[in-house]
Amino acid sequence: MRRRTLLAGLLAGVPSVASGCRPDGTPLPPVVIATGGGGGVYRALGEAFAAALHDRWKVRATVLTTAASIENLHLLATGRADLAFTTVDAAAVTTTEVRGEGRIAALAGLYDDYLQIVVRADASIATVADLRGRRVSTGAAGSGTEIAAGRVLAAAGVRGPGAIVRSRLPASASGDALRAGRIDAFFFAGGLPTPAVADLARTVRVRLLPVGSLVAGLQRSFGEVYLARSIPAGTYGLGREVPAVAIPNVLVVRADMPSAEARELTALLFASKPRLAAVHAQARRLDRRAALATYPLPLHPGAARYFREAKPWAVSGS
């Protein structure tokens, strides 16, 4: 298993850090960020944070295109990534291989994803139960979307072999397939607006299926990793508010990352808020107080130190 020391010991104002070198003149190792697929918010924010890392420490940052949450956690746990985005429900169900013995810790809670179930506006599909027998993409294999989609379908009574004709496509491919008539609906968990859904809505009138009536059952079964929220009427030109389920997501690292390093990465995350918000509006929700909520993952001690120093309970979260 690879063990990285990205910036530890070089973050206390040492002049060589600004040039991307250790005190001995050797370059800092690259940072690998596990994000998601094209058309998702993780990817956009990951690229912006990679640019911030380069500008701050001249570190070469590589952004991985992945299936998102579950794959990201495995990449992080096995040393193939240094930072990763994930939803909290994915973190709660990942195997002992990933979460066992405290292998993963959070730097900060970010914002809420919304589970969106997209159909064409002219489809005769009004509820999740109407998806029985339909061609449905439940998200890429290894994604948090796939976890939430399976749970929502089961809560609506759409379960068992053959309940749906399943595809496992990422957001952009799902949008293309719905536009072309190859599928009848797709699930995607992402921030609002999700780029792939927004792109689809520019050429095809879409609707989102309501999920609000299922949230209480999801919470009884899985806890507060699911929240009752509404998707605003103006999103994708929907024309009306849609009851939905939201899923918090977090930025995570390996638990054995040096504390000084985790503190500085957390500080950079908040310092980069304007840059992140410029690529996607969800980054405006980044808030120091809300960021402390990372259950079921523990907050990394280095991140906890940052929050203690920032005193988020005494200052605004901007």
Side-chain angles (χ1 to χ4, degrees), residues 5-24:
T5 304
L6 307 178
L7 309 169
L10 302 173
L11 300 172
V14 179
S16 60
V17 173
S19 66
C21 294
R22 300 180 176 90
D24 64 4

Side-chain angles (χ1 to χ4, degrees), residues 72-227:
N72 290 353
L73 289 164
H74 281 276
L75 289 168
L76 191 64
T78 56
R80 291 174 288 167
D82 306 296
L83 290 160
F85 293 83
T86 185
T87 53
V88 295
D89 61 337
V93 301
T94 41
T95 62
T96 302
E97 173 194 353
V98 173
R99 290 186 62 228
E101 300 177 3
R103 287 190 174 93
I104 305 296
L107 295 184
L110 299 173
Y111 58 90
D112 290 345
D113 276 351
Y114 287 74
L115 184 64
Q116 301 158 75
I117 310 171
V118 187
V119 300
R120 296 178 72 107
D122 57 1
S124 57
I125 303 172
T127 69
V128 179
D130 293 336
L131 295 176
R132 180 174 292 280
R134 302 281 189 159
R135 300 166 299 170
V136 181
S137 172
T138 54
S143 67
T145 295
E146 188 171 41
I147 293 170
R151 290 174 171 179
V152 166
L153 286 167
V158 184
R159 64 181 81 194
I164 60 171
V165 181
R166 186 186 302 270
S167 299
R168 290 180 170 88
L169 303 173
S172 292
S174 291
D176 290 342
L178 187 66
R179 182 186 290 110
R182 295 192 299 272
I183 60 174
D184 302 304
F186 69 89
F187 286 76
F188 187 73
L192 299 177
T194 294
V197 181
D199 288 346
L200 173 65
R202 293 188 186 101
T203 57
V204 175
R205 289 185 60 240
V206 299
R207 283 188 292 109
L208 301 182
L209 300 185
V211 188
S213 63
L214 304 175
V215 175
L218 291 170
Q219 289 177 335
R220 283 193 297 271
S221 297
F222 305 107
E224 295 298 318
V225 296
Y226 297 114
L227 307 171

